Amino acid sequence: MLIVGVLLAAAKGVVGATTVTMGLIVLPTMLRYGYDPRLAAGTVAATATLAQIFPPATVLVLLGDQMSNAYQAAQLSQGIFAPQSVTVSDLFAGAIVPGFALVGLYFIYLVATACDRRRRRPFHLILRRPAASR
């Protein structure tokens, strides 16, 4: 579920689209296998928000344009008449490590939750078929 969210976030780049897609694909399957609804919904919401940080995030493209203009204006006001710019690819490169750090933290949280609360992790049901398909 976490990997699906990361791949969708990287492929779509828009939080709303990722949330809807994850909600339609992953959430019903998790609930069918007996996951706690709060954990399932939280996992979908947390992984869908990764679309804001993983390239090609729409937010990073818009932010890149604004930051480049502001950075160049700040350099010109300081008397630097050959200003450098912040490119969108710079933001994409800078977003990779924090994105994977968030994935790692989400994974650690899910493992800790699974180890702490046995009722929230139906690992005994993973090898069985869901009740609806029997």
CSV table of all heavy atoms in Angstrom, one decimal, residues 11-60:
chain,number,residue,atom,x,y,z
A,11,ALA,N,4.0,9.4,-10.2
A,11,ALA,CA,3.4,9.4,-11.5
A,11,ALA,C,2.4,10.6,-11.8
A,11,ALA,O,2.4,11.1,-12.9
A,11,ALA,CB,2.7,8.1,-11.8
A,12,LYS,N,1.7,10.9,-10.8
A,12,LYS,CA,0.6,11.9,-11.0
A,12,LYS,C,1.1,13.3,-10.7
A,12,LYS,O,0.9,14.3,-11.4
A,12,LYS,CB,-0.6,11.6,-10.2
A,12,LYS,CG,-1.3,10.3,-10.7
A,12,LYS,CD,-2.6,10.1,-9.9
A,12,LYS,CE,-3.3,8.9,-10.4
A,12,LYS,NZ,-3.7,8.9,-11.7
A,13,GLY,N,1.7,13.5,-9.5
A,13,GLY,CA,2.2,14.9,-9.1
A,13,GLY,C,1.1,15.8,-8.6
A,13,GLY,O,1.3,17.0,-8.3
A,14,VAL,N,-0.2,15.3,-8.5
A,14,VAL,CA,-1.3,16.1,-8.0
A,14,VAL,C,-1.9,15.4,-6.8
A,14,VAL,O,-2.3,14.2,-6.9
A,14,VAL,CB,-2.3,16.4,-9.1
A,14,VAL,CG1,-3.5,17.2,-8.5
A,14,VAL,CG2,-1.7,17.1,-10.3
A,15,VAL,N,-2.0,16.0,-5.6
A,15,VAL,CA,-2.5,15.4,-4.4
A,15,VAL,C,-3.9,14.9,-4.6
A,15,VAL,O,-4.2,13.7,-4.2
A,15,VAL,CB,-2.4,16.3,-3.2
A,15,VAL,CG1,-3.0,15.7,-2.0
A,15,VAL,CG2,-1.0,16.7,-3.0
A,16,GLY,N,-4.8,15.7,-5.2
A,16,GLY,CA,-6.2,15.3,-5.3
A,16,GLY,C,-6.4,14.0,-6.1
A,16,GLY,O,-7.1,13.1,-5.8
A,17,ALA,N,-5.7,13.9,-7.2
A,17,ALA,CA,-5.8,12.8,-8.1
A,17,ALA,C,-5.2,11.5,-7.4
A,17,ALA,O,-5.7,10.4,-7.5
A,17,ALA,CB,-5.0,13.0,-9.4
A,18,THR,N,-4.1,11.7,-6.7
A,18,THR,CA,-3.5,10.6,-6.0
A,18,THR,C,-4.4,10.1,-4.9
A,18,THR,O,-4.6,8.9,-4.7
A,18,THR,CB,-2.1,11.0,-5.4
A,18,THR,OG1,-1.3,11.5,-6.5
A,18,THR,CG2,-1.4,9.8,-4.8
A,19,THR,N,-5.0,11.0,-4.1
A,19,THR,CA,-5.9,10.6,-3.0
A,19,THR,C,-7.1,9.9,-3.5
A,19,THR,O,-7.5,8.8,-3.0
A,19,THR,CB,-6.4,11.9,-2.3
A,19,THR,OG1,-5.2,12.6,-1.9
A,19,THR,CG2,-7.2,11.5,-1.1
A,20,VAL,N,-7.7,10.3,-4.6
A,20,VAL,CA,-8.9,9.7,-5.2
A,20,VAL,C,-8.5,8.3,-5.7
A,20,VAL,O,-9.2,7.3,-5.4
A,20,VAL,CB,-9.5,10.5,-6.3
A,20,VAL,CG1,-10.6,9.7,-7.0
A,20,VAL,CG2,-10.2,11.8,-5.7
A,21,THR,N,-7.4,8.2,-6.4
A,21,THR,CA,-7.0,6.9,-6.9
A,21,THR,C,-6.7,5.9,-5.8
A,21,THR,O,-7.1,4.8,-5.9
A,21,THR,CB,-5.8,7.1,-7.9
A,21,THR,OG1,-6.1,8.1,-8.9
A,21,THR,CG2,-5.4,5.8,-8.5
A,22,MET,N,-5.9,6.4,-4.8
A,22,MET,CA,-5.6,5.5,-3.7
A,22,MET,C,-6.9,5.1,-2.9
A,22,MET,O,-7.0,4.0,-2.5
A,22,MET,CB,-4.7,6.2,-2.7
A,22,MET,CG,-3.3,6.4,-3.2
A,22,MET,SD,-2.3,5.0,-2.9
A,22,MET,CE,-2.3,4.9,-1.2
A,23,GLY,N,-7.8,6.1,-2.8
A,23,GLY,CA,-9.1,5.7,-2.1
A,23,GLY,C,-9.9,4.7,-2.8
A,23,GLY,O,-10.6,3.9,-2.2
A,24,LEU,N,-9.8,4.7,-4.2
A,24,LEU,CA,-10.6,3.8,-4.9
A,24,LEU,C,-9.9,2.4,-5.1
A,24,LEU,O,-10.6,1.4,-5.2
A,24,LEU,CB,-10.9,4.3,-6.3
A,24,LEU,CG,-11.8,5.5,-6.4
A,24,LEU,CD1,-11.9,6.1,-7.8
A,24,LEU,CD2,-13.2,5.1,-5.9
A,25,ILE,N,-8.6,2.4,-5.1
A,25,ILE,CA,-7.9,1.1,-5.3
A,25,ILE,C,-7.5,0.4,-4.0
A,25,ILE,O,-7.8,-0.7,-3.8
A,25,ILE,CB,-6.7,1.4,-6.2
A,25,ILE,CG1,-7.1,1.8,-7.6
A,25,ILE,CG2,-5.8,0.1,-6.3
A,25,ILE,CD1,-5.9,2.3,-8.4
A,26,VAL,N,-6.8,1.2,-3.1
A,26,VAL,CA,-6.2,0.6,-2.0
A,26,VAL,C,-7.1,0.5,-0.8
A,26,VAL,O,-7.2,-0.6,-0.1
A,26,VAL,CB,-4.9,1.3,-1.6
A,26,VAL,CG1,-4.3,0.8,-0.3
A,26,VAL,CG2,-3.9,1.3,-2.7
A,27,LEU,N,-7.9,1.5,-0.5
A,27,LEU,CA,-8.7,1.5,0.7
A,27,LEU,C,-9.7,0.4,0.8
A,27,LEU,O,-9.8,-0.3,1.8
A,27,LEU,CB,-9.4,2.9,0.8
A,27,LEU,CG,-10.2,3.2,2.1
A,27,LEU,CD1,-9.2,3.1,3.3
A,27,LEU,CD2,-10.8,4.5,2.1
A,28,PRO,N,-10.5,0.1,-0.3
A,28,PRO,CA,-11.4,-1.0,-0.2
A,28,PRO,C,-10.7,-2.4,0.0
A,28,PRO,O,-11.2,-3.2,0.8
A,28,PRO,CB,-12.2,-1.0,-1.5
A,28,PRO,CG,-12.0,0.3,-2.1
A,28,PRO,CD,-10.7,0.8,-1.6
A,29,THR,N,-9.6,-2.6,-0.6
A,29,THR,CA,-8.9,-3.8,-0.4
A,29,THR,C,-8.4,-3.9,1.1
A,29,THR,O,-8.5,-5.0,1.6
A,29,THR,CB,-7.7,-3.9,-1.4
A,29,THR,OG1,-8.2,-3.7,-2.7
A,29,THR,CG2,-6.9,-5.2,-1.2
A,30,MET,N,-7.8,-2.9,1.6
A,30,MET,CA,-7.4,-2.9,3.0
A,30,MET,C,-8.5,-3.2,4.0
A,30,MET,O,-8.4,-4.0,4.9
A,30,MET,CB,-6.7,-1.6,3.4
A,30,MET,CG,-5.4,-1.4,2.7
A,30,MET,SD,-4.6,0.2,3.1
A,30,MET,CE,-4.1,-0.1,4.8
A,31,LEU,N,-9.7,-2.6,3.7
A,31,LEU,CA,-10.8,-2.8,4.6
A,31,LEU,C,-11.4,-4.2,4.4
A,31,LEU,O,-11.8,-4.8,5.4
A,31,LEU,CB,-11.9,-1.8,4.3
A,31,LEU,CG,-11.6,-0.3,4.6
A,31,LEU,CD1,-12.7,0.6,4.2
A,31,LEU,CD2,-11.2,-0.2,6.1
A,32,ARG,N,-11.3,-4.7,3.2
A,32,ARG,CA,-11.8,-6.1,3.0
A,32,ARG,C,-10.9,-7.1,3.7
A,32,ARG,O,-11.4,-8.1,4.2
A,32,ARG,CB,-11.8,-6.4,1.5
A,32,ARG,CG,-12.5,-7.7,1.1
A,32,ARG,CD,-12.6,-7.9,-0.4
A,32,ARG,NE,-12.8,-6.7,-1.2
A,32,ARG,CZ,-12.0,-6.3,-2.2
A,32,ARG,NH1,-11.0,-7.1,-2.6
A,32,ARG,NH2,-12.3,-5.2,-2.8
A,33,TYR,N,-9.6,-6.8,3.8
A,33,TYR,CA,-8.7,-7.7,4.5
A,33,TYR,C,-8.7,-7.5,6.0
A,33,TYR,O,-7.9,-8.1,6.7
A,33,TYR,CB,-7.3,-7.6,4.0
A,33,TYR,CG,-7.1,-8.5,2.8
A,33,TYR,CD1,-7.2,-7.9,1.5
A,33,TYR,CD2,-6.8,-9.8,2.9
A,33,TYR,CE1,-6.9,-8.7,0.4
A,33,TYR,CE2,-6.5,-10.6,1.8
A,33,TYR,CZ,-6.6,-10.0,0.6
A,33,TYR,OH,-6.4,-10.8,-0.5
A,34,GLY,N,-9.5,-6.6,6.5
A,34,GLY,CA,-9.7,-6.4,7.9
A,34,GLY,C,-8.8,-5.4,8.6
A,34,GLY,O,-8.7,-5.4,9.8
A,35,TYR,N,-8.2,-4.6,7.9
A,35,TYR,CA,-7.4,-3.5,8.5
A,35,TYR,C,-8.3,-2.5,9.3
A,35,TYR,O,-9.5,-2.3,8.9
A,35,TYR,CB,-6.6,-2.7,7.5
A,35,TYR,CG,-5.4,-3.4,7.0
A,35,TYR,CD1,-5.4,-4.4,6.0
A,35,TYR,CD2,-4.1,-3.2,7.6
A,35,TYR,CE1,-4.3,-5.0,5.6
A,35,TYR,CE2,-3.0,-3.8,7.2
A,35,TYR,CZ,-3.1,-4.8,6.2
A,35,TYR,OH,-1.9,-5.4,5.8
A,36,ASP,N,-7.8,-2.0,10.3
A,36,ASP,CA,-8.5,-1.0,11.1
A,36,ASP,C,-8.8,0.2,10.1
A,36,ASP,O,-7.9,0.7,9.5
A,36,ASP,CB,-7.6,-0.5,12.2
A,36,ASP,CG,-8.3,0.6,13.1
A,36,ASP,OD1,-9.5,0.6,13.2
A,36,ASP,OD2,-7.6,1.4,13.7
A,37,PRO,N,-10.1,0.7,10.1
A,37,PRO,CA,-10.4,1.8,9.1
A,37,PRO,C,-9.6,3.0,9.4
A,37,PRO,O,-9.3,3.7,8.4
A,37,PRO,CB,-11.9,2.0,9.4
A,37,PRO,CG,-12.4,0.7,10.0
A,37,PRO,CD,-11.3,0.1,10.7
A,38,ARG,N,-9.3,3.3,10.6
A,38,ARG,CA,-8.5,4.5,10.9
A,38,ARG,C,-7.1,4.4,10.3
A,38,ARG,O,-6.5,5.4,9.8
A,38,ARG,CB,-8.4,4.8,12.4
A,38,ARG,CG,-9.8,5.2,13.0
A,38,ARG,CD,-9.7,5.4,14.4
A,38,ARG,NE,-9.3,4.1,15.0
A,38,ARG,CZ,-9.1,3.9,16.3
A,38,ARG,NH1,-9.1,4.9,17.1
A,38,ARG,NH2,-8.7,2.7,16.8
A,39,LEU,N,-6.5,3.2,10.5
A,39,LEU,CA,-5.1,3.0,10.0
A,39,LEU,C,-5.1,3.0,8.4
A,39,LEU,O,-4.3,3.6,7.8
A,39,LEU,CB,-4.6,1.7,10.5
A,39,LEU,CG,-3.2,1.3,10.0
A,39,LEU,CD1,-2.1,2.3,10.5
A,39,LEU,CD2,-2.8,-0.1,10.4
A,40,ALA,N,-6.1,2.4,7.8
A,40,ALA,CA,-6.2,2.4,6.4
A,40,ALA,C,-6.4,3.8,5.8
A,40,ALA,O,-5.8,4.1,4.9
A,40,ALA,CB,-7.4,1.4,6.0
A,41,ALA,N,-7.3,4.5,6.4
A,41,ALA,CA,-7.6,5.9,5.9
A,41,ALA,C,-6.4,6.8,6.1
A,41,ALA,O,-6.0,7.6,5.2
A,41,ALA,CB,-8.8,6.5,6.6
A,42,GLY,N,-5.7,6.6,7.2
A,42,GLY,CA,-4.5,7.4,7.5
A,42,GLY,C,-3.4,7.1,6.6
A,42,GLY,O,-2.6,8.0,6.1
A,43,THR,N,-3.3,5.8,6.2
A,43,THR,CA,-2.2,5.4,5.3
A,43,THR,C,-2.5,6.0,3.9
A,43,THR,O,-1.6,6.5,3.2
A,43,THR,CB,-2.1,3.9,5.2
A,43,THR,OG1,-1.9,3.4,6.5
A,43,THR,CG2,-1.1,3.4,4.3
A,44,VAL,N,-3.7,6.0,3.5
A,44,VAL,CA,-4.1,6.5,2.2
A,44,VAL,C,-3.8,8.0,2.2
A,44,VAL,O,-3.2,8.6,1.2
A,44,VAL,CB,-5.5,6.2,1.8
A,44,VAL,CG1,-6.0,7.0,0.6
A,44,VAL,CG2,-5.7,4.7,1.5
A,45,ALA,N,-4.2,8.7,3.2
A,45,ALA,CA,-4.0,10.2,3.3
A,45,ALA,C,-2.6,10.5,3.3
A,45,ALA,O,-2.1,11.5,2.7
A,45,ALA,CB,-4.8,10.7,4.5
A,46,ALA,N,-1.8,9.8,4.1
A,46,ALA,CA,-0.4,10.1,4.3
A,46,ALA,C,0.4,9.9,3.0
A,46,ALA,O,1.2,10.7,2.6
A,46,ALA,CB,0.2,9.3,5.4
A,47,THR,N,0.2,8.8,2.4
A,47,THR,CA,0.9,8.5,1.2
A,47,THR,C,0.4,9.3,0.0
A,47,THR,O,1.2,9.6,-0.9
A,47,THR,CB,0.8,7.0,0.8
A,47,THR,OG1,-0.6,6.6,0.7
A,47,THR,CG2,1.5,6.1,1.8
A,48,ALA,N,-0.8,9.7,0.0
A,48,ALA,CA,-1.3,10.6,-1.1
A,48,ALA,C,-0.6,12.0,-1.0
A,48,ALA,O,-0.4,12.6,-2.1
A,48,ALA,CB,-2.8,10.7,-1.1
A,49,THR,N,-0.3,12.4,0.2
A,49,THR,CA,0.3,13.8,0.3
A,49,THR,C,1.7,13.8,-0.2
A,49,THR,O,2.3,14.9,-0.4
A,49,THR,CB,0.3,14.3,1.7
A,49,THR,OG1,1.0,13.3,2.5
A,49,THR,CG2,-1.1,14.4,2.2
A,50,LEU,N,2.3,12.6,-0.5
A,50,LEU,CA,3.7,12.6,-1.1
A,50,LEU,C,3.7,13.2,-2.5
A,50,LEU,O,4.8,13.5,-3.0
A,50,LEU,CB,4.2,11.1,-1.1
A,50,LEU,CG,4.5,10.5,0.3
A,50,LEU,CD1,4.8,9.1,0.1
A,50,LEU,CD2,5.6,11.3,0.9
A,51,ALA,N,2.5,13.3,-3.1
A,51,ALA,CA,2.5,13.9,-4.4
A,51,ALA,C,2.9,15.3,-4.5
A,51,ALA,O,3.3,15.8,-5.5
A,51,ALA,CB,1.1,13.8,-5.0
A,52,GLN,N,2.9,16.0,-3.3
A,52,GLN,CA,3.4,17.4,-3.2
A,52,GLN,C,4.9,17.5,-3.3
A,52,GLN,O,5.4,18.5,-3.7
A,52,GLN,CB,2.9,18.0,-2.0
A,52,GLN,CG,1.4,18.3,-1.9
A,52,GLN,CD,1.0,18.9,-0.6
A,52,GLN,OE1,1.7,18.9,0.3
A,52,GLN,NE2,-0.2,19.5,-0.7
A,53,ILE,N,5.6,16.4,-2.9
A,53,ILE,CA,7.0,16.5,-2.8
A,53,ILE,C,7.8,15.7,-3.9
A,53,ILE,O,8.9,16.0,-4.2
A,53,ILE,CB,7.5,16.2,-1.4
A,53,ILE,CG1,8.9,16.7,-1.2
A,53,ILE,CG2,7.3,14.7,-1.1
A,53,ILE,CD1,9.4,16.7,0.2
A,54,PHE,N,7.2,14.6,-4.3
A,54,PHE,CA,7.9,13.8,-5.3
A,54,PHE,C,7.8,14.4,-6.7
A,54,PHE,O,6.7,14.8,-7.2
A,54,PHE,CB,7.3,12.4,-5.4
A,54,PHE,CG,8.0,11.4,-4.4
A,54,PHE,CD1,7.4,11.1,-3.2
A,54,PHE,CD2,9.2,10.9,-4.7
A,54,PHE,CE1,8.0,10.2,-2.4
A,54,PHE,CE2,9.9,10.1,-3.9
A,54,PHE,CZ,9.3,9.7,-2.7
A,55,PRO,N,8.9,14.5,-7.4
A,55,PRO,CA,8.9,15.0,-8.8
A,55,PRO,C,8.1,14.1,-9.6
A,55,PRO,O,8.2,12.9,-9.4
A,55,PRO,CB,10.4,15.0,-9.2
A,55,PRO,CG,11.1,15.1,-7.9
A,55,PRO,CD,10.3,14.3,-6.9
A,56,PRO,N,7.3,14.5,-10.5
A,56,PRO,CA,7.1,15.8,-11.1
A,56,PRO,C,5.9,16.5,-10.4
A,56,PRO,O,4.8,16.6,-11.0
A,56,PRO,CB,6.8,15.6,-12.5
A,56,PRO,CG,6.1,14.3,-12.5
A,56,PRO,CD,6.7,13.5,-11.4
A,57,ALA,N,6.1,17.0,-9.2
A,57,ALA,CA,5.0,17.6,-8.4
A,57,ALA,C,4.6,19.0,-9.0
A,57,ALA,O,5.5,19.8,-9.3
A,57,ALA,CB,5.4,17.8,-7.0
A,58,THR,N,3.4,19.2,-9.2
A,58,THR,CA,2.9,20.4,-9.8
A,58,THR,C,3.3,21.6,-8.9
A,58,THR,O,3.6,22.7,-9.3
A,58,THR,CB,1.4,20.4,-10.0
A,58,THR,OG1,1.0,19.2,-10.7
A,58,THR,CG2,0.8,21.6,-10.7
A,59,VAL,N,3.2,21.4,-7.6
A,59,VAL,CA,3.6,22.4,-6.6
A,59,VAL,C,5.0,22.8,-6.8
A,59,VAL,O,5.3,24.0,-6.7
A,59,VAL,CB,3.3,21.9,-5.2
A,59,VAL,CG1,3.8,22.9,-4.1
A,59,VAL,CG2,1.8,21.6,-5.0
A,60,LEU,N,5.9,21.9,-7.0
A,60,LEU,CA,7.3,22.2,-7.2
A,60,LEU,C,7.5,23.0,-8.5
A,60,LEU,O,8.4,23.9,-8.6
A,60,LEU,CB,8.2,20.9,-7.2
A,60,LEU,CG,8.3,20.2,-5.9
A,60,LEU,CD1,9.2,19.0,-6.1
A,60,LEU,CD2,9.0,21.1,-4.9
